[in-house]
Amino acid sequence: MKKSLDEHAARFDELAGEYDEDKSDEYRACASLVVEHAAPKADDTESPRARTRSARTDVVLDLATGTGAIALALAPDTTRVVGRDISEGMLEEAKRKADEEGLENLEFDYGTFREPNYDGPVDVVTSNFALHHLSDEEKREAIDVIAALEPRRFVLGDVMFFGEPDPDEPFYSPEVDDPATVGTLADALTDAGFSLTAVERVHDQVGVLVAERSPTELEDTGEPADR
């Protein structure tokens, strides 16, 4: 990590009030894909009533939740969304928006990738445009922590390199960011016990990875196949 947690938190505290307005089309496309892949999948073999009931049983952990864009989008279709971030300013914005929308199944609090400050059940973990602040080794540690929570799916939207890095592009700043290649992230995910099931390329330096654990893998770790 090129800056300390406190330095990153202070930087995002300053940006919190204007964060949502100052976003690129690629960022918004990435966020939309994270929501799409994290949303509960309907089982066509179930009745409409059963599909509605099962779709609302997921617990989502949104790491580096920021102002809550992913968390708020997923909340209406899930049992609970837990948002974690290092910036008090960002968390205040997320709480304010949740209150404005009348959403009561969200919880926002301080937490990091490697210490998420949450030990409850997790079905899906999400994160958007944040993991690139960590070094490659720190990313591995974070993915290992996420795997230990035993989610069935991890959806990561982030700055990542599909080709050669180009520091002149607007998606990262070499002074504060440390993006990884898609290959490095894929290796970390598979080493942690996930299977990479989707790769969405938004830009040469922006993408979404979907990693899942099969029911068999979850049973092997002691996790019930059906919650």
Side-chain angles (χ1 to χ4, degrees):
M1 184 181 292
K2 295 185 176 180
K3 287 187 177 292
S4 70
L5 283 176
D6 287 343
E7 289 172 323
H8 277 300
R11 184 162 68 94
F12 284 107
D13 283 346
E14 293 178 1
L15 296 171
E18 303 172 354
Y19 189 77
D20 292 338
E21 287 77 35
D22 187 24
K23 290 299 162 199
S24 66
D25 291 342
E26 288 84 358
Y27 175 94
R28 297 182 189 283
C30 191
S32 294
L33 285 168
V34 170
V35 171
E36 178 183 330
H37 283 288
K41 302 296 188 292
D43 183 348
D44 291 337
T45 65
E46 294 181 322
S47 68
R49 179 176 295 180
R51 286 201 298 271
T52 300
R53 184 172 60 249
S54 63
R56 293 181 179 275
T57 61
D58 278 355
V59 175
V60 177
L61 174 62
D62 186 37
L63 294 174
T65 193
T67 59
I70 305 299
L72 272 71
L74 291 172
D77 296 317
T78 59
T79 295
R80 186 180 181 211
V81 181
V82 177
R84 293 290 184 261
D85 205 278
I86 62 172
S87 165
E88 290 297 331
M90 291 287 202
L91 289 169
E92 286 303 316
E93 282 292 306
K95 292 173 184 176
R96 179 185 64 77
K97 291 196 293 184
D99 288 343
E100 285 182 353
E101 295 186 25
L103 296 169
E104 299 180 350
N105 62 331
L106 295 107
E107 174 204 330
F108 294 109
D109 205 344
Y110 180 90
T112 71
F113 280 108
R114 290 173 291 168
E115 294 183 14
N117 186 30
Y118 179 72
D119 60 3
V122 180
D123 297 289
V124 179
V125 175
T126 58
S127 184
N128 191 53
F129 263 66
L131 195 66
H132 64 274
H133 296 307
L134 305 183
S135 69
D136 286 357
E137 183 57 36
E138 290 167 335
K139 290 183 185 71
R140 279 189 167 273
E141 293 171 2
I143 289 170
D144 286 341
V145 169
I146 290 167
L149 294 171
E150 299 183 337
R152 70 170 187 274
R153 184 181 307 127
F154 174 33
V155 185
L156 172 66
D158 206 3
V159 182
M160 59 184 71
F161 300 130
F162 287 86
E164 289 297 317
D166 183 356
D168 293 328
E169 287 289 347
F171 299 109
Y172 78 105
S173 300
E175 319 84 60
V176 295
D177 301 327
D178 197 2
T181 65
V182 173
T184 296
L185 293 170
D187 287 345
L189 289 164
T190 54
D191 288 347
F194 289 101
S195 297
L196 198 60
T197 57
V199 178
E200 300 272 14
R201 181 173 181 161
V202 176
H203 178 276
D204 287 348
Q205 298 185 49
V206 178
V208 175
L209 304 182
V210 182
E212 303 197 46
R213 303 171 80 183
S214 70
T216 301
E217 289 169 334
L218 292 173
E219 287 170 358
D220 289 343
T221 62
E223 173 76 4
D226 296 307
R227 289 179 187 249

